[in-house]
Amino acid sequence: IERMYELARPYPIKGIITVQSAREELEKLANSGFTKGWLTGKHEFDRLFTLKPKILAGLTGVPSFGKSVVWRQYMHDMCKNNPDMRLGGFTPEMRPASREYAKIAELFIGKSWDRNKMNSMSDAEREFALKLVERHFTIINPDTNNFETMARKMGDNPIAPKGLRNVLAYMKYLKQTIGIKGFWIDAWNKLDHQRPSNKPIEEFISQELDFLLDFLNKEDLFCMVIAHPTKMETVRGGNYRKPTL
């Protein structure tokens, strides 16, 4: 009886992760190390940053200095280096969606989509680029005139077409149907956040990000959020004041 008492362990409770319950994962880390996510093939990026399932990342910077352009290039490199990569995107600032598709196609070919430009793609190159874009990217842009209440179909209450929950329901659908591995939101401020008037903005943002993190953890997806800051103060000479924390 004394021996049984010494070996006794508390009854396992969901949500409590002990060392023993994590032994299998710890053994994997011992054998393979802290593995990186999907690589882009660009050492300058890959040695500092990679994306993997369950990760929430953010990209921000000075207004109009190319945040979306940098992210588009990163996605192109990641897809080129990982042929099975599929991504979903919520890009209300890039309207219509065909504009975003054309910009991505230009990266794959290295030529302009516009037939009127001297460095324009040939028709064959354009068709080849479209096949690559279609293989890797699917864009959603629900609005009040054209949308499915995906969240309602998946059991949630009716909500705004561009609300975070409805956008995430679309991404869940894309994972179930075409197998996306992650998605991006460009930009965060274009979501219909529906913040209650009596809730401080900091508390509301925290709750929204927690909801997003829980979704990523459950669905095994990653998300890149493009955050556009408010208009920044300029100093003498027209330059922006250096951002600080």
Side-chain angles (χ1 to χ4, degrees):
I1 292 177
E2 183 177 350
R3 180 63 175 165
M4 292 175 62
Y5 181 80
E6 291 175 352
L7 296 175
R9 295 290 184 270
Y11 185 81
I13 300 297
K14 293 180 180 179
I16 298 178
I17 304 172
T18 65
V19 171
Q20 290 303 318
S21 65
R23 282 297 293 269
E24 184 177 347
E25 293 183 7
L26 287 167
E27 191 64 24
K28 289 180 181 178
L29 288 175
N31 292 330
S32 59
F34 296 94
T35 56
K36 288 182 173 291
W38 288 286
L39 302 177
T40 64
K42 300 292 180 63
H43 176 69
E44 296 81 359
F45 269 124
D46 293 338
R47 70 186 181 88
L48 299 173
F49 173 79
T50 58
L51 286 166
K52 60 176 66 175
K54 307 182 190 300
I55 291 294
L56 172 60
L59 174 63
T60 190
V62 175
S64 302
F65 270 44
K67 295 179 290 296
S68 298
V69 173
V70 169
W71 170 241
R72 194 181 295 127
Q73 181 69 54
Y74 186 90
M75 289 191 295
H76 161 266
D77 294 343
M78 185 167 58
C79 289
K80 190 175 180 180
N81 203 51
N82 301 274
D84 62 340
M85 178 61 64
R86 296 194 71 115
L87 300 170
F90 174 64
T91 60
E93 285 201 335
M94 291 296 288
R95 295 189 299 256
S98 55
R99 178 178 173 84
E100 181 71 10
Y101 285 138
K103 291 293 184 181
I104 297 171
E106 289 179 339
L107 291 174
F108 277 109
I109 302 301
K111 295 182 180 180
S112 173
W113 183 264
D114 189 346
R115 284 192 175 96
N116 299 308
K117 298 290 182 64
M118 291 190 62
N119 66 334
S120 174
M121 302 179 200
S122 66
D123 288 343
E125 289 172 328
R126 196 173 287 106
E127 287 301 316
F128 177 68
L130 284 181
K131 289 180 181 179
L132 290 174
V133 175
E134 187 173 23
R135 178 192 303 170
H136 295 293
F137 299 91
T138 302
I139 292 173
I140 72 164
N141 190 18
D143 58 41
T144 53
N145 297 317
N146 182 31
F147 71 96
E148 295 279 350
T149 51
M150 299 296 296
R152 182 191 300 174
K153 291 183 177 182
M154 295 185 177
D156 290 341
N157 295 325
I159 44 182
K162 291 186 179 182
L164 178 63
R165 283 149 184 78
N166 207 46
V167 168
L168 295 185
Y170 268 91
M171 298 307 173
K172 181 176 180 178
Y173 173 81
L174 291 181
K175 182 192 175 183
Q176 294 172 341
T177 54
I178 63 174
I180 65 169
K181 301 185 184 303
F183 59 95
W184 78 98
I185 297 174
D186 186 8
W188 177 259
N189 64 305
K190 292 301 180 181
L191 289 167
D192 185 357
H193 291 290
Q194 297 182 308
R195 177 173 65 93
S197 59
N198 62 346
K199 180 166 291 188
I201 188 169
E202 294 84 0
E203 180 183 350
F204 178 77
I205 292 175
S206 177
Q207 289 180 351
E208 293 291 273
L209 291 176
D210 285 343
F211 185 87
L212 177 53
L213 282 167
D214 288 342
F215 173 84
L216 298 177
N217 189 58
K218 180 180 178 182
E219 299 299 331
D220 207 32
L221 295 169
F222 69 79
C223 175
M224 172 63 77
V225 172
I226 314 298
H228 292 204
T230 57
K231 187 174 182 180
M232 299 177 65
E233 180 184 357
T234 57
V235 294
R236 183 178 301 174
N239 293 322
Y240 286 106
R241 185 178 298 278
K242 184 177 179 180
T244 67
L245 293 177

